[in-house]
Amino acid sequence: MAAKPIRLTGLAPVIDARARVLILGSFPSTASLAAQQYYAHPQNQYWRILGAVIGQPLKEMDYPDRIAAVRAAGIAIWDVFASCERAGSLDTAIRDAVPNPLAKLQESAPALRRICFNGRVAARRIREVEAMGFEAVVLPSTSPAHAGMNFEEKLARWQAALRSAPAG
C-alpha cells in the first residue's frame, strides 16, 4: 500500500545581494527536509558537482561552510515549489504544489542574471523565469533517481552553465 501524501513545506532560499546565478531545484527530498539542509541525501551529486565547478570541497564541508562558499561564489539556491503534497522523495510524486514567489528574486538579488534549473521538473517554470528577464538554463538533475547520465557528463553540463554566467 502506498504512503499517503502529506503537506510539506520547503526550505528558505540561500540568497544574498552577491548572487549572479540561482540554482532552482523542484522540492527538497525527505532527507533534506529532515536535516533542514539543501541536497542532504548522501547519494545526491549536487555538492560534489557544485564543488568541482567552484573549486571547493563542498561535499566534505560542514553545511554552514558549504553555504558560505556557495554565497561567496555568487550562487544562490532555492526550489520552484514552496510547499506540496508528496509521499516519498520523487518529483513524480509531487501533488498540489504551491510555487515559490520567484518574482521577488529581483529585490533580494539585484545582480542575478541567470537561473539554472536542476532537472526537468524544476524547469516547468522556465517560461515564467524568462518572462522576468532572466537567462534560463536547464541542467541535468543531480538526483540519484536521474541515472541516465554519468557524473562526468553532468559535471560538464554544470560547468558550462555556471562558468559562463554573466557578470552582474
Side-chain angles (χ1 to χ4, degrees):
M1 186 167 122
K4 182 183 185 311
I6 56 170
R7 173 63 65 196
L8 303 167
T9 301
L11 303 173
V14 171
I15 193 164
D16 64 25
R18 297 175 290 178
R20 294 175 295 104
V21 178
L22 168 65
I23 301 170
L24 278 175
S26 53
F27 192 78
S29 69
T30 53
S32 293
L33 290 173
Q36 288 295 290
Q37 298 179 1
Y38 281 98
Y39 303 99
H41 190 287
Q43 298 304 311
N44 194 300
Q45 297 175 327
Y46 185 85
W47 296 114
R48 186 173 164 214
I49 287 174
L50 192 55
V53 171
I54 68 170
Q56 295 283 333
L58 296 177
K59 190 162 176 57
E60 289 77 34
M61 293 178 170
D62 291 336
Y63 189 73
D65 293 334
R66 286 180 187 171
I67 296 306
V70 166
R71 282 186 166 147
I75 297 171
I77 305 168
W78 207 15
D79 289 308
V80 295
F81 302 127
S83 68
C84 69
E85 290 184 1
R86 185 184 66 201
S89 290
L90 294 177
D91 282 353
T92 54
I94 293 174
R95 301 286 181 267
D96 193 27
V98 174
N100 266 318
L102 299 181
K104 293 188 176 194
L105 292 171
Q106 288 146 324
E107 298 167 20
S108 55
L112 189 62
R113 299 289 177 265
R114 177 176 291 171
I115 295 181
C116 297
F117 296 95
N118 186 358
R120 287 189 301 241
V121 171
R124 290 181 185 163
R125 293 186 69 189
I126 193 166
R127 284 186 177 82
E128 176 185 351
V129 161
E130 289 172 334
M132 289 187 278
F134 294 112
E135 182 183 346
V137 178
V138 181
L139 295 172
S141 174
T142 59
S143 167
H146 179 61
M149 187 179 289
N150 70 33
F151 176 83
E152 289 74 21
E153 291 171 309
K154 288 181 187 182
L155 176 59
R157 297 267 307 276
W158 278 69
Q159 285 175 325
L162 294 175
R163 290 192 173 154
S164 67

